[in-house]
Amino acid sequence: THTYWAPNVWALYNFCDCAAVVGARALRAAGLVADGGWLASAAAAGLAHSSGTVEPEPHALLPSVNPAFTLLLTLALNAPVLAAVWARPSRRPFGDALCLVSLAAFLAGWHVHEKAILAPLLLAALRALDGPRQLRAFAMLAAPAHYA
C-alpha cells in the first residue's frame, strides 16, 4: 500500500503491519523464528510505510491493498447509507447521508490527504444546528479531526 497521509483505516492497517514486523524481529532475536520461513522474511523486511513517499510499498505480513479494493470498500461502506436515502428521500436524511458518504470516502479511500476530513466536518457542523443528537455527532467527529 501507499504510505499513510491521513489518519484513516489504512494508517491503522500499516501500523498493524509495522507492529507485526517489530514482533517478528523480537521473536527472531529471541531465537524463536527459524531461518528461511515466512516470519523470518517478514522480520528482515523494511518499514517503509512511514517514509513519507507516495510510492506503493508492499506489506511485510498483511496482504497489500490496491486502489480497486479501497474503491470496493468505500462503495460497501456507502451502500447502506445510499439505500436508506433512496428508500425515504427527504432533506434531513440527505444531509446526514452527505456527511456519512464523505466520511466513508475519507476513512477507506486510497490516497486521502489529511485535509479531506474537512468535508465531513463541515457537513456535520451544519447538521449540528438541528439538535443535540447532531451536535453530539459533530463533537465526536470534531475531536479526532483536530489531530488529522
Side-chain angles (χ1 to χ4, degrees):
T1 188
H2 56 86
T3 56
Y4 55 89
W5 291 98
N8 62 5
V9 170
W10 307 119
L12 295 174
Y13 191 79
N14 290 341
F15 173 78
C16 290
D17 190 60
C18 290
V21 168
V22 170
R25 287 179 182 170
L27 290 173
R28 187 172 77 177
L32 300 173
V33 174
D35 289 335
W38 63 272
L39 202 53
S41 65
L47 298 176
H49 302 305
S50 60
S51 67
T53 62
V54 184
E55 300 300 319
E57 298 288 342
H59 285 95
L61 287 173
L62 297 177
S64 292
V65 179
N66 61 26
F69 178 76
T70 62
L71 174 65
L72 290 175
L73 182 60
T74 302
L75 291 174
L77 289 173
N78 287 330
V81 175
L82 296 175
V85 170
W86 187 267
R88 292 181 304 157
S90 70
R91 185 189 77 79
R92 186 169 302 263
F94 184 73
D96 291 339
L98 278 176
C99 182
L100 292 173
V101 165
S102 63
L103 184 60
F106 172 77
L107 290 175
W110 169 250
H111 186 81
V112 179
H113 198 274
E114 61 269 10
K115 289 184 202 101
I117 192 65
L118 293 177
L121 189 63
L122 175 64
L123 293 166
L126 293 173
R127 297 290 293 146
L129 301 173
D130 289 344
R133 185 177 137 262
Q134 287 82 6
L135 181 61
R136 276 192 303 274
F138 169 71
M140 289 175 59
L141 180 60
H146 281 81
Y147 295 102

